[in-house]
């Protein structure tokens, strides 16, 4: 029986794939499958995937045209057979050889819908430590959390993080919720993880730092904010309000959109009217707030 399905979307990450695969194949939890989806890479990522697939039958390789991260993950999820799902970025590294074993055993023991843990960011090329991603210090181990209460806690302490690579998710629970990634957008984790959280009353934290997340200049996180970033956050906002109008959703939108539009002053001025009009037309000005609106328009 497969205990953990590792979802690994791959796009032009050839220089990092050896390290990523090695951190997975040396895991002490052996009952895993690694579903590697080559999302239209134009480098030699496919050759590296095939090299490791030939070495280890637990690797399942799929190639498709470049459709984006959401579709690559959804492709893998259709094939996943594990009891739990771990979604790993293809240039990241698991910090411990026992990482998946610790997560699986803890989630099973607690009958968790999903568990969350900590990680760290490091800069590509130098292995320079950038920052820790810490939020488990706000929660207690062995204590079940309701999603609304947990999201409230994280928003109040400014530690909300939507990254799916900081979660181990019960596959049956995810399927019961009908959760998949919204196609064609970036910041898709914001939508997926928020709905996942608000759908659960059995969330547990594991006070371990288990993932080293690489920041690359060419990655989504490493690039400057653009009109597209803001447009995708607005789509996320639309979809969350379709899901629920509970007070916690409005709180989340205020937390998120005020930050997004504050940073949005960096986009070219020619792109600002259409984005702001879209937000205004959707009724999101109340979430953006006066300060972020002024910064968006006036700060150079």
């Amino acid at each position: 029986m497969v205990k953990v399905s590792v979802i690994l979307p791959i796009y032009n990450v050839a220089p990092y794939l050896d390290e990523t695969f090695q951190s997975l194949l040396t895991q002490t939890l052996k009952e895993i499958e690694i579903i590697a989806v080559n999302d239209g890479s134009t480098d030699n990522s496919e050759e590296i995937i095939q090299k490791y697939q030939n070495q280890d039958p637990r690797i399942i390789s799929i190639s498709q045209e470049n459709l984006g991260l959401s579709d690559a993950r959804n492709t893998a999820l259709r094939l996943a057979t594990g009891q739990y799902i771990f979604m790993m970025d293809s240039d990241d590294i698991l910090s411990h050889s026992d990482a998946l074993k610790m997560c699986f055993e803890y989630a099973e023991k607690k009958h968790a819908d999903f568990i969350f843990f900590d990680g760290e960011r490091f800069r590509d090329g130098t292995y320079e430590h950038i920052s820790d991603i810490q939020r488990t210090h706000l929660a207690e181990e062995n204590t079940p959390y309701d999603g609304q209460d947990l999201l409230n806690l994280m928003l109040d302490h400014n530690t909300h993080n939507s990254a799916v690579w900081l979660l181990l998710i019960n596959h049956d629970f995810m399927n019961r919720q009908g959760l998949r990634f919204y196609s064609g957008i970036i910041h898709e984790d914001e939508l997926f993880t928020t709905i996942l959280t608000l759908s659960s009353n059995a969330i547990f934290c594991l006070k371990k730092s288990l993932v080293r997340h690489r920041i690359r200049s060419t990655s989504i996180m490493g690039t400057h904010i653009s009109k597209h970033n803001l447009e995708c956050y607005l789509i996320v906002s639309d979809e969350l309000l379709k899901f629920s109008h509970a007070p916690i959703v409005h709180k989340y939108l205020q937390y998120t959109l005020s930050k997004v539009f504050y940073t949005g002053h960096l986009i070219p001025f020619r792109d600002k009217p259409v984005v702001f009009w879209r937000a205004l037309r959707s009724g999101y000005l109340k979430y953006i707030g006066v300060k972020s609106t002024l910064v968006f328009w006036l700060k150079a």
Side-chain angles (χ1 to χ4, degrees):
M1 177 182 291
V2 176
K3 293 180 177 178
V4 176
S5 294
V6 179
I7 306 301
L8 194 66
I10 293 168
Y11 179 70
N12 288 351
V13 288
Y16 316 106
L17 274 180
D18 283 312
E19 201 168 10
T20 299
F21 273 120
Q22 287 165 14
S23 82
L24 286 169
L25 296 179
T26 55
Q27 288 294 301
T28 56
L29 183 69
K30 300 305 180 185
E31 300 92 339
I32 66 173
E33 63 182 5
I34 302 164
I35 307 177
V37 179
N38 181 8
D39 189 43
S41 295
T42 57
D43 63 4
N44 65 326
S45 291
E46 180 65 23
E47 297 173 21
I48 299 170
I49 297 168
Q50 292 305 317
K51 177 183 73 173
Y52 283 99
Q53 186 179 35
N54 292 336
Q55 295 175 12
D56 197 313
R58 295 177 298 170
I59 297 173
I60 300 166
S61 173
I62 305 294
S63 289
Q64 64 183 34
E65 63 178 308
N66 181 230
L67 298 173
L69 184 56
S70 289
D71 285 283
R73 284 176 175 161
N74 289 339
T75 294
L77 286 170
R78 286 194 290 270
L79 300 173
T81 63
Q83 294 174 255
Y84 292 86
I85 301 293
F86 174 58
M87 302 186 205
M88 186 171 180
D89 280 5
S90 54
D91 53 356
D92 286 357
I93 307 164
L94 290 174
S95 304
H96 303 280
S97 60
D98 290 332
L100 294 181
K101 181 179 181 181
M102 286 189 289
C103 288
F104 173 80
E105 291 179 348
Y106 182 62
E108 276 286 276
K109 180 180 178 181
K110 298 303 174 185
H111 304 288
D113 291 336
F114 70 93
I115 67 170
F116 66 99
F117 40 85
D118 293 329
E120 64 173 300
R121 298 182 182 92
F122 70 97
R123 195 177 309 282
D124 176 36
T126 64
Y127 285 88
E128 174 192 355
H129 178 270
I130 299 175
S131 62
D132 291 317
I133 309 166
Q134 293 185 337
R135 47 189 181 143
T136 60
H137 63 284
L138 296 172
E140 296 295 330
E141 279 193 350
N142 304 313
T143 299
Y145 284 87
D146 172 81
Q148 179 167 309
D149 294 339
L150 183 65
L151 185 55
N152 255 316
L153 179 68
M154 297 302 169
L155 293 177
D156 286 345
H157 288 83
N158 199 33
T159 57
H160 169 67
N161 193 304
S162 66
V164 291
W165 37 266
L166 292 172
L167 312 174
L168 184 80
I169 308 168
N170 183 293
H171 196 177
D172 285 342
F173 171 73
M174 188 173 68
N175 284 340
R176 289 197 305 272
Q177 307 310 313
L179 268 171
R180 291 299 183 266
F181 290 89
Y182 191 100
S183 179
I185 64 170
I186 57 176
H187 309 300
E188 67 290 322
D189 286 9
E190 292 286 347
L191 179 60
F192 180 93
T193 303
T194 304
I195 292 178
L196 178 78
T197 301
L198 294 178
S199 300
S200 175
N201 59 8
I203 306 168
F204 288 81
C205 86
L206 179 62
K207 292 179 179 288
K208 300 284 186 181
S209 181
L210 298 178
V211 177
R212 300 191 67 219
H213 181 65
R214 190 187 309 264
I215 301 298
R216 294 181 286 125
S217 60
T218 56
S219 68
I220 293 171
M221 289 298 295
T223 54
H224 295 298
I225 192 167
S226 68
K227 173 186 172 186
H228 187 51
N229 292 91
L230 272 68
E231 289 172 336
C232 289
Y233 271 111
L234 294 175
I235 292 171
V236 168
S237 302
D238 295 341
E239 295 301 312
L240 282 175
L241 287 173
K242 290 178 186 177
F243 172 74
S244 173
H245 277 273
I248 185 61
V249 173
H250 297 289
K251 183 175 181 177
Y252 167 84
L253 292 178
Q254 185 174 22
Y255 175 92
T256 302
L257 291 181
S258 60
K259 289 185 174 183
V260 167
F261 274 81
Y262 187 96
T263 311
H265 75 270
L266 294 169
I267 72 173
F269 190 85
R270 66 179 180 275
D271 292 336
K272 291 184 178 183
V274 65
V275 174
F276 195 80
W277 171 244
R278 160 75 161 87
L280 186 64
R281 181 165 44 87
S282 300
Y284 295 152
L285 188 58
K286 61 188 176 186
Y287 304 124
I288 297 169
V290 174
K291 180 180 179 181
S292 292
T293 297
L294 291 174
V295 170
F296 176 79
W297 284 108
L298 301 178
K299 187 174 180 180

